[in-house]
Amino acid sequence: MNMDTIVFGTYTLQHLLIAGSAAVGLLIIMGIVKSIFKKEKVNPHIQTARCSSCGWQGQVSRYAGRCPKCNEPLGEQKVKKIK
């Protein structure tokens, strides 16, 4: 197939391939820029905490957080206790 083949009006196959590859390249660059500036979603049910007993640190539940190493209560403990 010849690149000088007229596809539509005065546009040749070469013009269409150049425009198509530029569009694909632009989409790829936009995706990379978007991923660089994307904010990390904050989970409202998890918080970071550090255990004062054993020194473990990580993410625990905001409602009933406990240290996975020594089972000490951590964080806000927003759960309501039923008596």
Side-chain angles (χ1 to χ4, degrees):
M1 184 176 266
N2 193 359
M3 290 296 192
D4 292 334
T5 304
I6 296 175
V7 178
F8 181 75
T10 59
Y11 298 110
T12 63
L13 183 60
Q14 183 178 5
H15 291 127
L16 292 178
L17 288 175
I18 290 171
S21 61
V24 168
L26 184 63
L27 288 174
I28 290 172
I29 291 171
M30 284 175 50
I32 291 171
V33 169
K34 186 177 178 181
S35 69
I36 289 173
F37 292 110
K38 187 169 103 174
K39 291 184 180 179
E40 190 174 315
K41 292 182 181 178
V42 177
N43 190 340
H45 306 293
I46 294 178
Q47 65 182 348
T48 55
R50 183 178 193 142
C51 183
S52 59
S53 300
C54 66
W56 178 89
Q57 74 180 47
Q59 295 181 339
V60 294
S61 170
R62 187 174 301 276
Y63 303 104
R66 292 215 168 251
C67 176
K69 197 171 182 182
C70 66
N71 205 29
E72 288 290 320
L74 295 176
E76 296 176 9
Q77 297 281 325
K78 286 186 173 181
V79 72
K80 293 181 182 178
K81 296 181 182 179
I82 301 172
K83 292 183 180 181

